[in-house]
Amino acid sequence: MTDTAPADTAPSGSARPALGGFHHFSATVNDVEDSAAWYERVLGLQRIPASFPHADEARSGYGVVLLDAQSGVILGLHHHEGHERAPADERRTGLDHIAFAVPERADLDRWAEWLDGLGIAHRGVVDETDPMPYSVLVFRDPDNIQLELAHMPG
């Protein structure tokens, strides 16, 4: 990035480059294999059968990539040498939560039943109207990363 213009202004006469959609999300976890197995079991993600070295730090760790072929959601789980091995905490700088969209409000009820069957604690489906209508089901992964399944009507 160059420092030719203040961060809050766009270059004169230019349009913002295009975004093509969401590609993937990656999180650092305490145990990549345990977390990968959990995401496969709970969310039905499929592991891509290769480990990925870190882009600029190939010797410092690796990532495992999981895919939901139906939605195109890609999730990376990363191991870093020297990782502090502490549970995630959204009150620290970094990840607050990951939210996955579901097509219908009724899907949230089905997800709650699915999580119950797996013995995974959750807060139940919450329907909100303020500041806009939405419904959400909140639970946590083995590293305490907050996960949400969300539906926004219409």
Side-chain angles (χ1 to χ4, degrees):
M1 186 168 133
T2 61
D3 286 328
T4 59
D8 60 348
T9 62
S12 177
S14 65
R16 181 187 64 82
L19 292 174
F22 184 80
H23 187 270
H24 75 274
F25 181 84
S26 291
T28 297
V29 296
N30 288 312
D31 186 313
V32 171
E33 295 305 323
D34 284 350
S35 290
W38 188 89
Y39 278 93
E40 288 171 315
R41 181 173 60 93
V42 175
L43 297 183
L45 302 181
Q46 297 173 336
R47 184 175 180 157
I48 294 176
S51 293
F52 293 80
H54 291 150
D56 293 329
E57 304 174 24
R59 286 174 274 143
S60 71
Y62 64 95
V64 167
V65 176
L66 302 161
L67 167 70
D68 178 65
Q70 183 179 21
S71 68
V73 167
I74 301 171
L75 178 66
L77 301 173
H78 286 264
H79 164 77
H80 293 272
E81 296 298 327
H83 172 62
E84 67 184 46
R85 297 194 57 83
D89 186 337
E90 58 268 15
R91 294 166 293 194
R92 291 191 305 247
T93 300
L95 175 65
D96 187 89
H97 67 276
I98 304 170
F100 300 95
V102 299
E104 302 292 333
R105 164 59 181 81
D107 293 325
L108 294 174
D109 294 322
R110 287 191 285 280
W111 272 106
E113 291 174 14
W114 175 258
L115 295 174
D116 288 342
L118 294 173
I120 296 172
H122 57 84
R123 299 182 192 166
V125 178
V126 176
D127 298 306
E128 295 287 347
T129 58
D130 187 34
M132 64 183 72
Y134 70 95
S135 299
V136 66
L137 175 62
V138 177
F139 57 107
R140 292 186 179 268
D141 83 351
D143 291 291
N144 202 46
I145 296 172
Q146 181 173 302
L147 303 173
E148 297 179 0
L149 298 167
H151 172 70
M152 294 184 72

